[in-house]
Amino acid sequence: MGGIAAAFPEVNRNTFQKLEDLSAKQFMLVFIAPIIFAEGYGMKSQQFFDNITRILLHAFLGTAISTLVVAISLHWLPTPPVQLSMAECLAFGAMISSTDPVTTLAIFKEQRLAENGRGHLYYSVLGESILNDAVAITLFGSFVNLVKSGEAVDGQVALRILLEFCGCFLASTLIGVAGGLATALLLKTARLGAGACEGEHFYFNVPELGVTLVMAYVPFLAAEACDFSGIVAIMFAGITTRHYAHFNLTQVTRQIFLPTVELIASLCETYVFILLGLGVFLMRRAYSWPLIGWTLLACLVGRALNVYPLALLTNKLSSGPIMSVKEMHMVWMAGLRGVIAFICALGFPKQEDHQDYLLCTTVIMVGLSLVVLGWPTAGVLRCLQLDSSVPAQEPRLPRVSWSTMPGSASVRGVSQRLKKLLMTNDAVAEEEINLFEEANGGTGAAPAVPPGPAPSTAMGCMGLGSFDAGRSAARWSAPGVLGTVPTERMSRLSARRTSMPCRSSRMLCDM
């Protein structure tokens, strides 16, 4: 579109410039929020916490390392005709350190990496990208304030920024978690889907869907009103809403809510990429090829210093799966630059003509990431698929296990009490059944079914009334990721499952 428009001099470029200027003011509220909420809501909490050590190291410490490498490189290396201050270099480094591994994750899904025994690789890259966006945007906001104030960067200023970042991140996290818990409590008490209709679970429930979407925005608005990070708030609101409020929704709303949010996020990303493509031809030309070259080299070096040392450290300390060297190559190539970097570039402070140079550099970086870095990712993945041998277990230091750390039992107890407070009994039972089925692949080692009428079976997370007792007993006792479930606990689940379905499930069986 940009090339066609540039070929005709009759096209008014000021129109596109106004479009980008207006979009820069609306991106945080209108475009980034749905993208981040969809990422948080789509994250499966169990796999997230199974790889939490690696995710946190790469998202926090790794992003800081990448930011510093880019900032120091651009500050001391020649980048004519523009010379950036240290504060501008730090802001640009935080902005360009935001990863968007859409291409990598698409390849992972196509190759069914999680199902083929490399789920730790998939969820590590996914979890890092989610937290990395929040960390990079928060750091970018802090450094932008430093650029606007014109302060010199010294030890005292760095310590103040670090404390502000920690306080802002913690407060935003609490606001997001509180928003997710409030959504769960509202859905439980209001019972928007509990009517007198027999087919209540099988119709599009507009009030329930609308209230849930509106409640998703409340933490973002509250955090922004308090001068905290709305991005961090809405990310943790998405994670908490999925954990506590998902099974309070009716069946149809539960099935369509995440695709609806992902559709909104996809439309926002598409609009951003349209602006990016238009900008290549129609925005003010301010290309500094030394700046682009040094930025590309600094991003690759910073990503390498992020991935390899921290991955080796995690292999020694974490109780999770060991990441091989080939998998480290994959994670290094997964550090693509995407829409978040471009959105932040549009909001960069206008210091002389520095914004134009940094915006053009970001456009080139995002384009190269999308076009070039996807091919090495596919090549390394083919090597991983061909070499299916399990890496040798190296001697480890005393390992960190989040499930055995002091206070972990208290955290689990608090989570269970919150579930009882915020979720209905049916929702708790459905969640436990759903988690058990996911952990065991949805089936267990069931004995042969005797001839006769086919029993009603469970469909996903819906309990559908009567089902064969022998088959269910075999499924409940099938050892899997969760191990063998105690008989008395499964008898309670079976009793719940038998009594849970009521009208809607019987109606589905009839259909």
Side-chain angles (χ1 to χ4, degrees):
M1 291 173 61
I4 294 174
F8 296 93
E10 295 81 7
V11 176
N12 187 0
R13 300 194 176 194
N14 292 329
T15 302
F16 295 99
Q17 191 65 44
K18 292 178 181 178
L19 184 63
E20 290 198 349
D21 292 340
L22 291 174
S23 300
K25 300 177 182 178
Q26 301 169 356
F27 268 138
M28 288 296 178
L29 177 62
V30 180
F31 298 106
I32 287 190
I35 297 173
I36 301 299
F37 181 81
E39 290 179 346
Y41 194 87
M43 168 62 70
K44 294 183 178 180
S45 57
Q46 181 63 41
Q47 288 82 357
F48 179 83
F49 287 104
D50 285 346
N51 300 277
I52 190 66
T53 304
R54 182 175 287 111
I55 291 172
L56 290 180
L57 279 177
H58 287 300
F60 285 90
L61 185 57
T63 303
I65 292 174
S66 179
T67 300
L68 291 176
V69 169
V70 174
I72 294 174
S73 300
L74 296 184
H75 184 67
W76 293 106
L77 292 173
T79 56
V82 59
Q83 185 62 40
L84 302 174
S85 65
M86 190 61 188
E88 290 176 320
C89 291
L90 288 170
F92 181 71
M95 173 186 74
I96 208 67
S97 297
S98 173
T99 61
D100 185 17
V102 176
T103 305
T104 305
L105 294 176
I107 297 173
F108 284 0
K109 290 180 180 179
E110 181 184 357
Q111 299 294 329
R112 301 176 62 85
L113 215 63
E115 290 81 359
N116 294 332
R118 299 187 186 273
H120 65 282
L121 179 60
Y122 177 86
Y123 289 106
S124 295
V125 173
L126 178 61
E128 179 205 352
S129 68
I130 294 175
L131 283 180
N132 167 269
D133 289 344
V135 172
I137 293 174
T138 306
L139 281 175
F140 174 74
S142 300
F143 292 136
V144 162
N145 293 333
L146 191 64
V147 173
K148 292 179 179 178
S149 64
E151 295 182 74
V153 180
D154 53 18
Q156 185 177 1
V157 172
L159 180 61
R160 189 192 69 201
I161 291 177
L162 177 62
L163 294 178
E164 289 178 353
F165 169 79
C166 294
C168 176
F169 201 93
L170 179 60
S172 304
T173 301
L174 294 177
I175 292 175
V177 172
L181 297 178
T183 303
L185 183 62
L186 177 62
L187 292 175
K188 177 185 177 181
T189 56
R191 302 299 293 162
L192 298 173
C197 177
E198 285 285 332
E200 58 185 347
H201 281 258
F202 301 98
Y203 290 97
F204 191 81
N205 194 322
V206 176
E208 188 177 45
L209 180 64
V211 166
T212 309
L213 288 174
V214 170
M215 289 296 294
Y217 254 103
V218 170
F220 179 88
L221 299 175
E224 289 292 331
C226 299
D227 290 330
F228 296 131
S229 175
I231 300 303
V232 176
I234 200 169
M235 181 193 68
F236 280 97
I239 296 174
T240 308
T241 303
R242 178 60 182 263
H243 190 65
Y244 290 104
H246 179 70
F247 287 95
N248 281 347
L249 300 170
T250 55
Q251 182 67 20
V252 170
T253 308
R254 193 185 309 159
Q255 292 174 348
I256 67 172
F257 182 73
L258 180 58
T260 301
V261 174
E262 289 179 340
L263 173 62
I264 298 173
S266 178
L267 292 175
C268 294
E269 286 187 338
T270 303
Y271 177 72
V272 173
F273 280 117
I274 288 176
L275 284 183
L276 189 147
L278 291 172
V280 172
F281 295 93
L282 302 177
M283 68 183 180
R284 289 185 293 269
R285 303 295 177 89
Y287 294 103
S288 172
W289 296 110
L291 177 62
I292 294 173
W294 290 125
T295 301
L296 177 61
L297 181 61
C299 286
L300 292 175
V301 174
R303 181 66 183 173
L305 294 177
N306 171 358
V307 171
Y308 292 99
L310 297 183
L312 293 174
L313 179 62
T314 306
N315 287 345
K316 296 293 185 181
L317 297 179
S318 175
S319 60
I322 291 180
M323 183 173 287
S324 66
V325 177
K326 290 183 180 179
E327 291 174 338
M328 295 179 195
H329 298 337
M330 172 75 70
V331 177
W332 179 44
M333 287 296 173
L336 309 180
R337 271 57 180 175
V339 294
I340 303 297
F342 179 68
I343 290 172
C344 292
L346 288 175
F348 201 91
K350 295 185 177 180
Q351 302 288 330
E352 301 175 358
D353 57 351
H354 294 179
Q355 184 201 28
D356 295 333
Y357 283 102
L358 295 179
L359 180 58
C360 293
T361 303
T362 305
V363 169
I364 297 298
M365 292 296 301
V366 174
L368 288 176
S369 294
L370 294 175
V371 176
V372 177
L373 291 185
W375 298 102
T377 301
V380 177
L381 181 58
R382 292 191 188 96
C383 295
L384 284 175
Q385 297 295 338
L386 293 175
D387 182 16
S388 59
S389 59
V390 179
Q393 296 289 328
E394 301 177 359
R396 295 188 178 187
L397 298 173
R399 297 177 295 174
V400 177
S401 177
W402 290 85
S403 60
T404 57
M405 289 184 65
S408 60
S410 301
V411 173
R412 288 194 295 269
V414 170
S415 178
Q416 293 299 324
R417 285 193 289 271
L418 283 174
K419 285 184 179 180
K420 292 181 180 179
L421 176 65
L422 301 173
M423 299 172 65
T424 62
N425 293 333
D426 287 354
V428 173
E430 288 188 29
E431 185 196 29
E432 292 179 350
I433 293 171
N434 189 59
L435 289 175
F436 184 81
E437 290 182 347
E438 284 184 357
N440 290 277
T443 58
V449 182
S456 300
T457 57
M459 298 182 63
C461 56
M462 288 185 59
L464 296 185
S466 59
F467 54 97
D468 183 70
R471 180 186 295 272
S472 64
R475 287 184 64 198
W476 295 132
S477 60
V481 179
L482 298 180
T484 303
V485 182
T487 306
E488 61 275 8
R489 179 164 178 249
M490 294 323 303
S491 63
R492 293 196 300 270
L493 279 178
S494 300
R496 283 186 187 178
R497 186 167 189 161
T498 305
S499 61
M500 175 175 39
C502 66
R503 300 186 304 271
S504 58
S505 302
R506 290 199 301 272
M507 183 178 180
L508 182 60
C509 291
D510 294 339
M511 294 168 60

